[in-house]
Structures are given as C-alpha cells and as structure tokens.
Amino acid sequence: MIQPLGIDNVFFTVGNLEEAVAFYERCGLKLKFRIDEARIALFAIDSEKPGLMLRAGEGVGAGRRWREV
C-alpha cells in the first residue's frame, strides 16, 4: 500500500484572479509571486513547494492536486 506523505501542489482555475488573490491573502496565505500577463498567482502553503497555484481562465472551479508518495 502506498502512503501519501503530503500534498505537493494544488492548482485552481478561477474566474477573477484579483478576487481570488484577495481571498487567499485574507485566509492567511503568503503570495510568493504573481504574473498578471500569464494570469497566474502562486501562494506558499506551509513548507510545501510550490504550493497553491491560481490561474484565471475557463473551467472555473476545476482543480488538480499532486500528492507526495
């Protein structure tokens, strides 16, 4: 049996990057960087790298996560 060690990366597609960034900052996450031209933002989650990636675009609510095993 494979035991997960943790969550490595989480990706969310959002409709409004500005609102999503503000929401996660209010939740206490630290913004690592943001590239408006690419419509992405990256937040740190604890010691995980890279953490939470937001991307503005189609398919709002769609998400992916990678697990460490």
Side-chain angles (χ1 to χ4, degrees):
M1 175 185 257
I2 297 173
Q3 293 285 43
L5 299 175
I7 296 175
D8 190 36
N9 303 301
V10 177
F11 300 91
F12 285 127
T13 302
V14 298
N16 184 308
L17 187 61
E18 191 70 38
E19 288 179 12
V21 166
F23 172 79
Y24 286 104
E25 286 178 326
R26 285 191 307 272
C27 288
L29 295 182
K30 181 183 174 194
L31 183 65
K32 289 176 86 171
F33 68 83
R34 178 176 173 167
I35 304 172
D36 288 327
E37 297 80 23
R39 302 179 348 169
I40 62 172
L42 180 70
F43 286 90
I45 299 178
D46 195 29
S47 63
E48 298 295 333
K49 295 179 177 119
L52 173 65
M53 173 75 76
L54 303 177
R55 179 180 65 87
E58 300 293 321
V60 173
R64 287 181 251 168
R65 72 178 182 273
W66 296 351
R67 287 170 265 172
E68 292 180 57
V69 292

